[in-house]
Each structure stands twice: as C-alpha cells, then as structure tokens.
Amino acid sequence: MIDDQYAFDDPTKRYAGIDTSEQSQDGPGLDSKLEQHADLGEKSYRGSGRLTGRRALITGADSGIGGATAIAFAREGADVVLSYLPEEESDAQRIAGLIRDAGRTAVTAPGDITDAAFCQSLVDTTVSELGGIDILVANAGKQQHVEEIADLTDEQIEETFRTNVFATIWLSRAAAAEMPPGSTIIATSSIQAYQPSPNLLDYAATKAAINNFCKGLAQQLAPRGIRVNVVAPGPVWTPLQAAGGQPPEELDEFGDSTPLGRPGQPAELAPAFVFLASGESSYVVGETLHVNGGSPTP
Ligand code: NAD
Ligand code: MG
C-alpha cells in the first residue's frame, strides 16, 4: 500500500511491494483472500469534496476496482449503495465500514445482477435509501478463462453476457428513469475490448459490447443532462483475476507485459471514476478512459 496518491514517484516502481503469485479461489473470490493484498486506496485516497452530497449505486463494490471506487466516492462526499454477491458479505462489510469512517452512508445490497428484476430493485433501493440516484457505476463483471472454444459452455456464455452486458443495460435503464440532470453513468470495459486474449473470448466480446452500448446511450441521454462514460482498465490486481480470470500459473507474470511493466492496483482506477462522476468532467460524454499501464488503444 502507498500512503499518498499524490506522491511524486516512479510509476514503474509504485506498488513494487505487491508481487503477484500463483493462487486460485472459487466463486467470485474475496479481496481478503488474495495472497498479496491489493491496494484499494485505504491509506492513500484523499478526498476534496468533488462529490459532495451525491447518491451513488456501485455494482461489484465489495472488492477490487468497485471497492476502491466506493472508498474514493465516500471520501469525496457521496453516499453509496454497494451491490455484490451474498458470498462476498465479508468484503462488502469492510468497504461499508470504510465508507462510514468517511462520515457517509453505506447501504449494503447483496444479490445477483444476472436477474433483471434485481437490477431494477438496486436502483429502487438507492432511491428509497439515499433519496435519489445521481451516479451509477456499472462495474460488476464475470471473467473465466477457457483455453478452447469447444469447452466454452452455454452456461458460461450466458452468465458472462448477463453479468457484463445485460446488467449494464438493465441498470442504466432503471437509473436513467430516475436521474436528474447532472447525473452520470459510468460503465466498466477493458483493454480486452481492443486486444482480446484467445482464452477470454466471451468476456472480451462483452467488453466491446459495453463500449458500443455506452457510445450510443451517451448520445441519447446527453440532451437530458445525463452523461455516460466508460473506464477501460488494463490488468489490475483483484479477486476477478485470482478466481479464474487467468490461468493460476500465469498470475506471477500478470501485467508484466504492459509498458509500465506491472499490474495496476484498484486504487489507481478509482480517480478515473471520480473524474467521470463529478462535474469537473461536464463536457466529457461517450468517452472511454483507459487506465491500463500504457497499452495502446484505438
Ligand atoms: P472484483 O472481483 O473485485 O469485482 C467484480 C465484482 O463483480 C465482484 O466483486 C462481484 O461482486 C461482482 N459480480 C460478479 N458477478 C455478479 C453477479 N452475478 N451479481 C452481482 N455481482 C456480481 O474484480 P475487478 O477486477 O475489480 O472487476 C471490476 C470490473 O473491472 C469488472 O467489470 C471487470 O471486468 C473489470 N476489469 C477488470 C480488470 C482486471 O484486470 N482486474 C481489467 C479490465 C476490466
Ligand atoms: Mg468481490
């Protein structure tokens, strides 16, 4: 972990102490079980009132990029509804505690976003518990590596698309119906949208779909004063990767081929979501903000 996100240091060496290694977890995985703890900005994220009074729904807010974003949003003054799977309760409670430490409201909302009605209920919960919704971060994702297309099951294809694409659309539809002008929707794509790995066919396709959906939705909602944007992470050290996102034996080299030569940490993604959520990005619409250690993108 680092102490100050604003430190003037060498980005190739930042987080040199977190050297990922072979490991694996079942299910969605837990941040608390990563052998090398990821940095979610617990010590380093310093807020400056950029989201004062805003009301945010964040999916996958228990861990990884969503967890770091939830911490950052709270320290910028937002209240947060956290969506996650029931088996991630312990991770979610830790993030909720950090939100409350920041003096903001945290509402925990476990459940499965592959269900359209549950996505609607998440927005309803945000409106009833926080008094409205100004920010949607559609961040939850499913990624399972499969080496041969012959082994890609119908069940996996369906779950990956329901989690990554359908839920992003369902949540955006429900949120847009409630959002006042000034609100923002931020989806989570990936470098995989541009550089698909041969063992992540279904996942990479969902990330390209998310980019495309958001470019269209951004144009539709802009006249109503609702801005839609995307963050596209590169390799980031999170449970997603240790729970089947990559072959376990490849985790020790995870991120090493980026120009910075290392994986990113969730804490390095959160500021991109803060920027796109806040009024400081008021003329940024339909953009994909890449946070990937330097890999070229279109
Ligand atoms: P993560 O495991 O910490 O977060 C993913 C979250 O998705 C889980 O915590 C879980 O709560 C949620 N989720 C999955 N299936 C769900 C379901 N059916 N119902 C409800 N919630 C569900 O990992 P992360 O890497 O922080 O992932 C966040 C986003 O970042 C994902 O969209 C992922 O595709 C994207 N991303 C990650 C990387 C990376 O290298 N880690 C790279 C590019 C994009
Ligand atoms: Mg999780």
Side-chain angles (χ1 to χ4, degrees):
M1 290 205 185
I2 61 164
D3 293 329
D4 179 8
Q5 63 179 336
Y6 297 111
F8 180 71
D9 61 7
D10 178 346
T12 68
K13 305 215 164 54
R14 190 177 274 210
Y15 300 113
I18 306 178
D19 193 9
T20 61
S21 64
E22 180 170 345
Q23 58 200 278
S24 69
Q25 296 188 40
D26 294 329
L30 290 176
D31 255 340
S32 62
K33 288 193 177 161
L34 287 176
E35 285 175 20
Q36 298 81 18
H37 279 293
D39 191 337
L40 273 56
E42 294 91 335
K43 284 190 180 161
S44 59
Y45 195 92
R46 227 191 309 151
S48 52
R50 292 156 81 190
L51 299 174
T52 303
R54 300 285 288 274
R55 301 156 299 185
L57 167 61
I58 305 176
T59 62
D62 57 297
S63 60
I65 295 164
T69 299
I71 294 168
F73 277 18
R75 291 184 187 174
E76 296 290 0
D79 297 326
V80 183
V81 172
L82 301 95
S83 155
Y84 53 93
L85 285 164
E87 53 266 47
E88 301 173 300
E89 188 64 35
S90 59
D91 271 358
Q93 288 300 335
R94 186 179 82 91
I95 301 297
L98 288 163
I99 291 170
R100 291 174 191 132
D101 289 348
R104 304 307 311 190
T105 299
V107 177
T108 53
D112 188 344
I113 61 164
T114 62
D115 178 48
F118 181 71
C119 288
Q120 177 66 52
S121 82
L122 282 173
V123 171
D124 295 344
T125 298
T126 309
V127 171
S128 62
E129 297 288 321
L130 303 184
I133 179 167
D134 315 303
I135 304 170
L136 166 65
V137 176
N139 163 77
K142 179 181 172 69
Q143 174 185 333
Q144 290 289 308
H145 75 91
V146 174
E147 302 312 305
E148 299 287 340
I149 191 168
D151 299 324
L152 193 52
T153 64
D154 290 353
E155 187 190 22
Q156 172 163 331
I157 297 166
E158 173 132 10
E159 268 189 33
T160 305
F161 273 82
R162 288 179 88 88
T163 309
N164 300 4
V165 182
F166 291 14
T168 297
I169 298 173
W170 289 328
L171 289 161
S172 297
R173 183 178 64 191
E178 297 288 342
M179 285 177 149
S183 300
T184 51
I185 295 173
I186 307 162
T188 310
S189 179
S190 169
I191 183 72
Q192 289 288 328
Y194 313 97
Q195 297 179 19
S197 296
N199 63 355
L200 293 174
L201 300 178
D202 54 334
Y203 174 82
T206 66
K207 294 301 176 175
I210 289 168
N211 271 345
N212 186 285
F213 168 71
C214 289
K215 298 260 184 218
L217 185 65
Q219 295 173 74
Q220 186 183 119
L221 295 184
R224 286 175 47 193
I226 301 171
R227 295 183 299 107
V228 181
N229 289 288
V230 178
V231 174
V236 182
W237 185 231
T238 70
L240 184 90
Q241 301 297 356
Q246 304 289 333
E249 64 278 11
E250 290 179 15
L251 287 175
D252 64 339
E253 286 168 10
F254 183 60
D256 292 355
S257 64
T258 63
L260 284 181
R262 64 167 178 87
Q265 292 297 320
E268 297 179 286
L269 273 293
F273 288 90
V274 171
F275 170 68
L276 293 173
S278 80
E280 68 199 314
S281 61
S282 57
Y283 207 57
V284 180
V285 178
E287 180 58 79
T288 301
L289 180 45
H290 303 283
V291 186
N292 67 20
S295 301
T297 52

